Amino acid sequence: MTVVTRFAPSPTGTLHVGNVRTALHNWLWARKHGGRFLLRIDDTDIERSKEEYVDAIRADLAWLGFDIDGEERQSARFALYEAEFEKLKAAGRVYACYETPEELDIRRKVLLSRGLPPVYERKPADAPVPEGIAPHWRFRLDHDAPIEWTDMVRGPQHFEPKTMSDPVVRRADGSWLYLLPSVIDDIAMGITHVVRGEDHVSNTATQIQMFDALGAAPPEFAHEALLVGTEGKLSKRLGSLGMASLRDDGIEPIALVALLARLGTSDPVEPVTHVAPLVESVDFARFGRAPARFDDAELALLNQKILHHTHYAAVAPRLPSAIDEARWNAIRPNLTTVADAADWVAVFDGPFTPPPAEESDRAVLAAAAQAAPATDWSADPWHALTGAVKETTGAKGRALFLPLRRTLTGRDHGPDMAELLPLINKDQAVARFSAA
């Protein structure tokens, strides 16, 4: 069996970290098993769906590195839905209903007031049909067939259809709700595994009977715990935290992927620079039931750690031309984002004005100004320079090293100066000591 997964966003907005996590786990599962990962654009909502969002979804998936093996559009499949709907109608598995939303709401309140579950009450077969009212359509659940499946995350699941309302699958205007077209598509597309949030568990229960009614075996299901913020709640920020915002913040796609791949699992989040270990290790048996906490600070720190191990070739197109491989290797342990590398161009090549020197540091800097011109920049200039200054002034330790670092870089902390100094323009370094 070839594993086939799908990601099915609605193009009514851009992707956010919650649905990106769903896409990622579907993609990882397909790649682990040498299968196929499909994109299905669920654009049955004609009024709210926009082509610009379709383009944005494709662009975000490409940025994240999720290559797709095929794409479908629900708006191009209405004829298929109609044909399958007619089969269900002929089999008595969908039926017309005429209640207004107001009537349904009143009946729901009556049932609740009596301490009864607000389950839809089917009308008798001989109930009169109102004139001049277009029906909406419900799927008839088989009350004598308990619904069971073994979820890859949640384990054995059991639902009694007698306690469930027959779901509406088609509106009075003929438009489709989510449940039935999704099942029809999963059958037609050969989907073997559906990975989605636990908020879909009750949908899955009804859809399993839809698969059966259409003569198809249901796929495997994995319902993962939802993503929450650091405060432990579903957050509006998570629902609006899009890829454009993360890109603007300098987040590398591999950092987001590395975090989302492991959140909610028993595996540690690690600063990987390639997806291979994430593909190899994905296992829904290791996913927990507790909500997965997404923390911006954790993402930023992970991003920083990954940059510290990122090879020059992976970022070269985004670096200033002055930052070559040697300079990148020297500064990367001190970067938070790739964009921060631009701040080092002036340190390497100028123009750069060092901060005012402390009075106590002037002797060290004067000695450096004298020693630097004669220092061989091609042969470990840092140790040669500090050795000469120490011999002249007697300074050592912090009193020796910190004034030199500040004057050369404007920073109290940073890269190893033995690695950094040969990469700084010698004339610039001499000028900085002389001006201090």
Side-chain angles (χ1 to χ4, degrees):
M1 178 190 72
T2 299
V3 167
V4 184
T5 65
R6 46 80 164 173
F7 176 52
S10 296
T12 54
T14 56
L15 299 184
H16 54 76
V17 291
N19 48 29
V20 163
R21 179 170 175 255
T22 298
L24 168 62
H25 291 149
N26 278 285
W27 183 82
L28 289 173
W29 192 252
R31 293 294 168 256
K32 178 175 182 175
H33 296 280
R36 303 176 69 227
F37 170 71
L38 306 180
L39 174 63
R40 189 182 77 213
I41 302 296
D42 283 7
D43 56 350
T44 56
D45 189 338
I46 303 300
E47 289 188 6
R48 295 176 61 220
S49 296
K50 294 184 179 180
E51 199 62 28
E52 65 192 77
Y53 292 136
V54 176
D55 293 339
I57 288 167
R58 294 193 191 111
D60 284 342
L61 293 177
W63 178 70
L64 291 161
F66 303 168
D67 52 320
I68 60 175
D69 301 305
E71 180 180 325
E72 297 287 350
R73 299 281 292 263
Q74 285 198 326
S75 58
R77 302 168 69 82
F78 288 153
L80 173 62
Y81 305 154
E82 196 70 52
E84 297 302 296
F85 178 78
E86 289 300 322
K87 292 179 184 177
L88 293 175
K89 191 195 299 187
R93 293 305 298 270
V94 294
Y95 61 96
C97 300
Y98 297 88
E99 302 93 344
T100 65
E102 293 76 18
E103 290 171 336
L104 291 172
D105 186 56
I106 291 171
R107 188 58 190 163
R108 178 178 179 275
K109 290 177 179 177
V110 168
L111 290 172
L112 287 172
S113 69
R114 295 176 180 172
L116 300 172
V119 176
Y120 176 75
E121 299 167 301
R122 297 171 181 168
K123 299 294 185 291
D126 59 353
V129 175
E131 294 184 8
I133 298 179
H136 58 274
W137 296 82
R138 291 180 182 265
F139 176 78
R140 187 186 303 275
L141 292 169
D142 182 351
H143 287 177
D144 296 323
I147 301 167
E148 296 179 336
W149 78 94
T150 300
D151 196 274
M152 292 190 291
V153 174
R154 299 168 64 88
Q157 301 293 297
H158 178 92
F159 284 77
E160 282 296 337
K162 294 176 183 177
T163 67
M164 302 162 59
S165 294
D166 292 342
V168 177
V169 295
R170 196 169 192 180
R171 300 182 183 92
D173 63 4
S175 62
W176 301 97
L177 280 83
Y178 163 78
L179 291 172
L180 182 58
S182 181
V183 169
I184 294 170
D185 283 336
D186 285 344
I187 295 170
M189 295 166 64
I191 302 301
T192 62
H193 295 78
V194 173
V195 182
R196 55 190 180 184
E198 65 182 4
D199 52 332
H200 283 282
V201 170
S202 60
N203 288 339
T204 295
T206 59
Q207 287 179 317
I208 282 177
Q209 284 210 356
M210 292 179 186
F211 279 103
D212 182 68
L214 291 168
E220 297 289 321
F221 290 95
H223 291 91
E224 55 192 16
L226 298 180
L227 210 59
V228 298
T230 53
E231 71 282 1
K233 302 177 183 177
L234 291 174
S235 165
K236 287 186 178 180
R237 170 166 166 72
L238 289 184
S240 61
L241 185 55
M243 300 306 99
S245 173
L246 293 174
R247 282 193 291 269
D248 290 344
D249 289 342
I251 298 299
E252 298 295 306
I254 186 61
L256 182 63
V257 167
L259 180 62
L260 294 179
R262 297 286 177 81
L263 281 186
T265 77
S266 56
D267 296 317
V269 175
E270 298 173 316
V272 298
T273 58
H274 193 272
V275 296
L278 304 177
V279 170
E280 182 180 355
S281 65
V282 64
D283 181 356
F284 292 111
R286 300 175 70 83
F287 281 56
R289 295 284 299 274
R293 293 175 182 261
F294 179 88
D295 186 348
D296 296 86
E298 183 181 8
L299 176 60
L301 180 60
L302 180 63
N303 193 69
Q304 186 174 340
K305 289 180 179 179
I306 287 173
L307 280 185
H308 298 172
H309 297 92
T310 299
H311 294 301
Y312 173 73
V315 295
R318 294 185 284 150
L319 293 174
S321 58
I323 304 297
D324 59 16
E325 185 169 4
R327 286 176 168 180
W328 168 257
N329 290 339
I331 65 175
R332 67 180 179 178
N334 298 90
L335 300 178
T336 301
T337 69
V338 170
D340 293 344
D343 298 338
W344 287 87
V345 173
V347 173
F348 288 121
D349 297 324
F352 178 84
T353 302
E358 300 286 341
E359 190 63 35
S360 58
D361 296 336
R362 292 195 180 281
V364 166
L365 296 175
Q370 290 294 319
T375 301
D376 184 354
W377 231 244
S378 65
D380 193 8
W382 177 249
H383 289 104
L385 179 65
T386 54
V389 173
K390 180 179 181 180
E391 183 176 347
T392 301
T393 65
K396 58 184 179 179
R398 180 181 176 86
L400 171 62
F401 302 130
L402 184 57
L404 301 180
R405 178 186 287 278
R406 280 180 179 165
T407 300
L408 288 167
T409 70
R411 297 162 169 84
D412 287 357
H413 308 282
D416 178 2
M417 290 302 298
E419 184 178 7
L420 189 69
L421 185 55
L423 305 174
I424 296 176
N425 180 282
K426 181 178 180 178
D427 292 340
Q428 283 286 325
V430 171
R432 290 168 203 174
F433 289 135
S434 298

